[in-house]
Amino acid sequence: MLRGPVARSFPAGIIAGVFAAHFLFIQGWSFWPLVPVILLWAIMQRSPWAAAVLLSLCWSGVAFQHQLEDRLPAELNGRTLKVQGRVADLPQQYPEYTRFRFHPLNLPADPRLPDTMLPGTILAYWYRDPPAIAPGELWQLELQLRPPWGRVNFQGSDRERWLFAEGIGALATVRGGELQGMDGSMSSQLNTLRNKLRSLILQAVPGERTQGVVLALAIADLSKLSVQQNRTFSRTGTAHLLAISGQQVSLAAMFGFLLARLLLLAIPPAWMRGLAYPAAMFAGLFLATVYAALAGFGPSTVRALVMLMVGILMLATRRTSHLWQAWLTAMAAVLLLDPPALLGAGFWMSFAAVAVLLLLFSNREANAESWWRSMLRAQVGITMFMLPLGAWWFQSVSLSGLAANLLAIPWVSFITVPLILLGLLLVPLGTTLSLLAFYLAGASSEYLLLALEWLAALPASAVALPQPSAWAVAVASLGGLLLLLPRGLPHRWLGLLLLLPLLAPFPRPSPGSLRLDVLDVGQGTAVLVGSSEHLLIYDSGPGDGQDFNLVDQVMVPAILQSGYRSPDRIIISHGDMDHAGGLNRLRELFPQALVHANLSVANLAVANLSVAGGEPAKCRQGLEWAWDGISFHVLHPSPYLPYIRNDSSCVVSIGFGESSVLLPGDISSPIEARLVRQGIGRHLVLLVPHHGSKSSSSAEFLEHVQPMAAIATTGLGNRFGFPRPETRQRYLEHGIPLWSTDACGAIRMELAADGTLRSYSARRVQFAPWRWPAAEFCP
């Protein structure tokens, strides 16, 4: 191993090089001009640190560039091809579909295909009665391909970043397939073992509630966790316990260490010659590695395993290096193995948590305080320091997290995970005892779930926050660091003041103006209309009326970053689930909001609205109100019109001064003609009717509305081809710019009373190298 200053500087140089490559990549700059400068510096100074920076900079830059190039070209979007390949991981089985990673083994024989290989990893979705798919199987699949596109908004989660960091080069829907055999590679055999363990656990644990917890902690399979369970773990700040990372891997190592020490008692000490302790440590490392393998060597698991390896090697070789050197060495190793790890929350959260523990305990004498005080100190320290990171990555802070983790961490560490490890160890000896251990692990997790659900149900269990700026996170992190410093240090309390930027409010529209946010929710509609004091939500995006929706992922972050805590009024144009799918969740989160919705009896049954607060009021012609000098008028449907799906859409006209907005839902040309007969006038902004279908946006309607800009809510690569080419042509003929959320991401428009209009699109504002670029016509 490296010695002296070199050992301390070389890992730091690797980290600096990867961070530099990451910064240059984010900015869209090339790293090659820096290479000769750093090389000359390294030669002249004979600096190992500079050499490490150079090596890691080049390595990371090439890795980032390779990941960018290993993606499906946009021109292949929607193409259906027969592809032979291998199921590369444990398939995730959900009620509606099965999802798995598919590694193509050949280039499809298609003369129309460009001279480009398919990407190395395709994330495939098999709907409509998927067969039982096992890892390692060889399939010839008929795949409808699309690039790794995702929703892009001004705030909230970034799916395109996640796809890039995971190395996923394409998405696909399976149209059919033929099983062709089994791959005999070691990774396939490992995933086959994981699949068998999943079947064994499902057999042993009777309840679906606890099956998800045991599967997550045993083989990192999260597919059995319900939406409600995920919300419970998120609200209580305990979601980290389900990721097989530092805590679980360390427990496996400790389990193996103690088991080895127990077995070594049978060997005379003279035979071991002082090797008992190192042997036990490496036995613990071996068991931790096996556990990490059963977890699929996920990113968080690999990070934890690398850190454990570094620590054990230093202990086994009796190195006197400081613990911070081990921390730096582990970080350097992780970044060399996976440079895009910097783009994920797991990297920052895991290394920050370990850093907090080192700050708190690395210089303390053993047995200086009781175990419960140490646990309390550790949890308080991690909670305070993680506040800025949690606000940045997840836009929320769990106020119940301290109490929940004080209960959940020892419960999982000393009861659930040991039982799961025991079950895994007993599998080779027979299934009866392993089934019993898995059953007991499931039973123990049931009591934990009950406690966490009670905490999650508390009114102030978690607080949603707007995503803070980078400077606010930096200042708040400094505040968290101050609070972690030893007691007695003067002015530690200033750390609390430095946390305040996380609570800085975002500006609302100024009086006399209006902000229109057309959110990117894929194939669906969700619009925020904000004045200086009030907020209207028009449609709730896609969903199933039950668990699946985009309210928490997209709409809540948009509401908070617009400067509001809740909407004053919610309008659901009609009952199609790409417009009404998130209504239940909105009513659950904002019960005080006034709701108007045009829904059929079938919609009410599907959405289960009686549970969510009863049937909402109808949205009918004649409904009107005013906020802050802005008038809102419902133009359609009439009170006597029966429900006729799209043509029952609630049409809202918003006006103030010289500015106006028309929100028409999914109406078709007959309803447009009715509005023309009623004398509809010019509107500055038009939400394109029915996403730009060919049955709407008639020439007569466009002549009367005469918008300065029109926006279509469409999903990227949607199967309907919205907005349709003939519809786009009609807008072009009338000289109306037509923007769409598929090409531009979310679109924000700021309207003033004098008729001036400022527009922005998320794909331009939220620039990133992994982001698919905005179309030329986007604002």
Side-chain angles (χ1 to χ4, degrees):
M1 293 183 66
L2 299 173
R3 297 180 181 276
V6 176
R8 288 186 291 275
S9 63
F10 199 80
I14 290 175
I15 295 167
V18 177
F19 270 74
H22 175 262
F23 175 78
L24 295 172
F25 177 69
I26 293 293
Q27 299 299 322
W29 301 337
S30 173
F31 67 93
W32 290 113
L34 285 179
V35 172
V37 177
I38 300 176
L39 179 61
L40 182 62
W41 178 27
I43 294 174
M44 293 180 62
Q45 299 294 323
R46 297 183 179 180
S47 168
W49 188 87
V53 170
L54 178 64
L55 290 173
S56 59
L57 176 70
C58 295
W59 169 257
S60 302
V62 170
F64 284 131
Q65 189 60 38
H66 170 74
Q67 207 119 311
L68 272 182
E69 294 172 355
D70 188 34
R71 300 197 293 180
L72 187 76
E75 56 266 25
L76 291 185
N77 175 52
R79 183 75 60 85
T80 300
L81 300 173
K82 288 186 177 180
V83 182
Q84 185 183 25
R86 173 172 58 88
V87 179
D89 68 345
L90 192 67
Q92 304 291 297
Q93 299 172 353
Y94 299 94
E96 297 84 12
Y97 60 89
T98 296
R99 185 180 75 178
F100 57 95
R101 300 192 187 201
F102 191 66
H103 287 179
L105 300 179
N106 69 320
L107 181 66
D110 189 335
R112 301 169 299 169
L113 197 67
D115 187 20
T116 304
M117 293 295 292
L118 290 175
T121 301
I122 298 173
L123 187 62
Y125 294 79
W126 197 323
Y127 300 89
R128 298 179 184 177
D129 302 319
I133 303 171
E137 288 181 341
L138 299 175
W139 284 80
Q140 180 169 288
L141 298 178
E142 187 176 356
L143 299 177
Q144 185 177 34
L145 297 165
R146 60 187 186 276
W149 289 332
R151 299 176 297 272
V152 181
N153 289 280
F154 294 100
Q155 62 292 305
S157 59
D158 188 341
R159 180 164 174 78
E160 289 186 350
R161 178 180 60 200
W162 179 84
L163 291 168
F164 176 81
E166 291 290 312
I168 294 170
L171 306 174
T173 300
V174 181
R175 300 300 184 196
E178 178 184 348
L179 179 63
Q180 295 190 325
M182 194 74 183
D183 178 35
S185 67
M186 185 176 296
S187 63
S188 296
Q189 292 177 17
L190 173 62
N191 282 318
T192 300
L193 174 60
R194 296 176 68 210
N195 199 40
K196 291 178 179 177
L197 287 172
R198 174 163 62 183
S199 300
L200 194 64
I201 291 170
L202 293 177
Q203 177 187 347
V205 182
E208 287 191 6
R209 278 168 50 85
T210 52
Q211 284 176 350
V213 176
V214 177
L215 285 171
L217 291 172
I219 57 172
D221 180 6
L222 304 176
S223 61
K224 283 290 183 179
L225 291 171
S226 67
V227 172
Q228 193 57 48
Q229 283 179 314
N230 280 315
R231 286 178 185 158
T232 295
F233 287 115
S234 177
R235 285 181 61 82
T236 56
T238 53
H240 64 95
L241 294 175
L242 299 182
I244 298 180
S245 54
Q247 179 182 336
Q248 292 81 0
V249 172
S250 299
L251 284 171
M254 185 182 300
F255 201 81
F257 176 83
L258 294 175
L259 182 62
R261 291 288 286 176
L262 183 63
L263 294 176
L264 289 172
L265 291 177
I267 301 177
W271 292 8
M272 295 302 299
R273 296 184 179 181
L275 296 178
Y277 188 71
M281 283 195 298
F282 281 102
L285 178 59
F286 174 76
L287 184 59
T289 305
V290 171
Y291 186 38
L294 295 177
F297 286 118
S300 61
T301 310
V302 171
R303 282 193 295 270
L305 189 61
V306 169
M307 294 177 75
L308 181 68
M309 285 180 177
V310 171
I312 286 180
L313 285 173
M314 288 185 171
L315 287 173
T317 55
R318 291 178 170 82
R319 301 285 300 176
T320 58
S321 303
H322 198 278
L323 288 173
W324 284 106
Q325 181 186 340
W327 184 79
L328 285 173
T329 304
M331 183 184 290
V334 166
L335 290 176
L336 280 180
L337 287 172
D338 183 22
L342 277 171
L343 298 173
F347 171 86
W348 297 93
M349 303 298 280
S350 59
F351 277 101
V354 175
V356 169
L357 297 178
L358 291 178
L359 277 171
L360 290 174
F361 301 111
S362 61
N363 294 321
R364 289 181 176 271
E365 296 181 3
N367 303 320
E369 60 184 2
S370 60
W371 66 269
W372 66 268
R373 286 182 180 272
S374 296
M375 176 176 284
L376 181 61
R377 181 187 300 277
Q379 194 55 52
V380 170
I382 289 175
T383 300
M384 297 303 295
F385 193 74
M386 291 299 188
L387 281 176
L389 292 178
W392 173 265
W393 287 103
F394 310 117
Q395 294 86 58
S396 67
V397 172
S398 173
L399 300 182
S400 61
L402 179 60
N405 278 284
L406 286 174
L407 169 67
I409 288 176
W411 191 286
V412 169
S413 301
F414 301 121
I415 301 176
T416 307
V417 169
L419 286 169
I420 290 173
L421 292 174
L422 183 62
L424 295 174
L425 285 173
L426 291 173
V427 167
L429 304 179
T431 59
T432 302
L433 291 176
S434 62
L435 287 172
L436 177 61
F438 291 140
Y439 172 82
L440 293 174
S444 73
S445 63
E446 173 65 28
Y447 295 105
L448 177 62
L449 282 173
L450 291 173
L452 294 180
E453 286 167 353
W454 181 81
L455 286 170
L458 295 176
S461 178
V463 175
L465 295 174
Q467 187 177 45
S469 61
W471 75 265
V473 172
V475 170
S477 299
L478 180 60
L481 186 62
L482 277 176
L483 293 172
L484 293 178
L485 294 177
R487 286 180 296 180
L489 191 73
H491 309 305
R492 284 175 65 236
W493 59 271
L494 289 174
L496 293 173
L497 296 180
L498 295 179
L499 294 176
L500 292 180
L502 297 179
L503 305 177
F506 279 74
R508 296 183 180 186
S510 59
S513 65
L514 179 142
R515 181 190 296 152
L516 182 75
D517 278 326
V518 183
L519 304 181
D520 184 2
V521 291
Q523 190 56 41
T525 299
V527 180
L528 306 184
V529 182
S531 68
S532 59
E533 298 295 334
H534 298 279
L535 177 67
L536 166 70
I537 291 179
Y538 183 84
D539 283 343
S540 59
D544 60 5
Q546 303 294 326
D547 291 330
F548 166 70
N549 58 74
L550 297 178
V551 172
D552 292 274
Q553 295 179 45
V554 176
M555 299 190 71
V556 170
I559 291 169
L560 295 173
Q561 201 151 36
S562 295
Y564 308 92
R565 294 303 302 178
S566 66
D568 298 278
R569 192 181 295 253
I570 299 169
I571 288 181
I572 303 299
S573 63
H574 63 298
D576 284 5
M577 300 311 285
D578 58 334
H579 296 253
L583 175 57
N584 258 358
R585 182 60 177 158
L586 282 175
R587 298 183 80 183
E588 180 183 343
L589 291 174
F590 311 114
Q592 75 284 357
L594 185 61
V595 179
H596 294 274
N598 291 341
L599 303 171
S600 67
V601 175
N603 295 141
L604 292 172
V606 171
N608 204 16
L609 291 176
S610 60
V611 175
E615 183 176 350
K618 300 292 185 182
C619 185
R620 291 289 189 250
Q621 181 181 353
L623 174 66
E624 56 186 55
W625 71 95
W627 287 338
D628 310 317
I630 302 171
S631 60
F632 297 78
H633 299 273
V634 175
L635 308 181
H636 177 81
S638 69
Y640 309 106
L641 187 72
Y643 184 80
I644 46 178
R645 297 196 61 178
N646 287 350
D647 283 338
S648 291
S649 292
C650 180
V651 179
V652 181
S653 174
I654 306 168
F656 68 107
E658 300 297 321
S659 292
S660 53
V661 177
L662 185 65
L663 306 176
D666 277 359
I667 61 172
S668 60
S669 53
I671 305 302
E672 293 174 351
R674 178 177 182 271
L675 294 173
V676 169
R677 290 194 299 271
Q678 290 177 348
I680 191 170
R682 184 175 187 269
H683 285 75
L684 195 64
V685 177
L686 169 67
L687 190 69
V688 174
H690 198 198
H691 315 285
S693 72
K694 62 181 180 181
S695 62
S696 61
S697 298
S698 63
E700 182 186 29
F701 179 71
L702 296 181
E703 287 171 2
H704 281 75
V705 177
Q706 300 178 13
M708 184 181 293
I711 306 170
T713 54
T714 52
L716 198 56
N718 69 85
R719 61 190 177 93
F720 307 102
F722 293 157
R724 299 288 298 177
E726 53 267 45
T727 304
R728 187 178 288 279
Q729 182 62 31
R730 284 199 292 273
Y731 281 88
L732 182 63
E733 290 171 354
H734 285 79
I736 303 169
L738 175 57
W739 306 326
S740 55
T741 54
D742 63 339
C744 307
I747 296 173
R748 172 170 293 169
M749 312 191 79
E750 297 174 351
L751 294 83
D754 61 2
T756 57
L757 174 67
R758 291 190 298 175
S759 306
Y760 315 89
S761 59
R763 284 194 179 272
R764 290 201 188 279
V765 174
Q766 302 288 90
F767 168 79
W770 57 82
R771 180 93 61 238
W772 291 88
E776 292 183 1
F777 55 76
C778 294

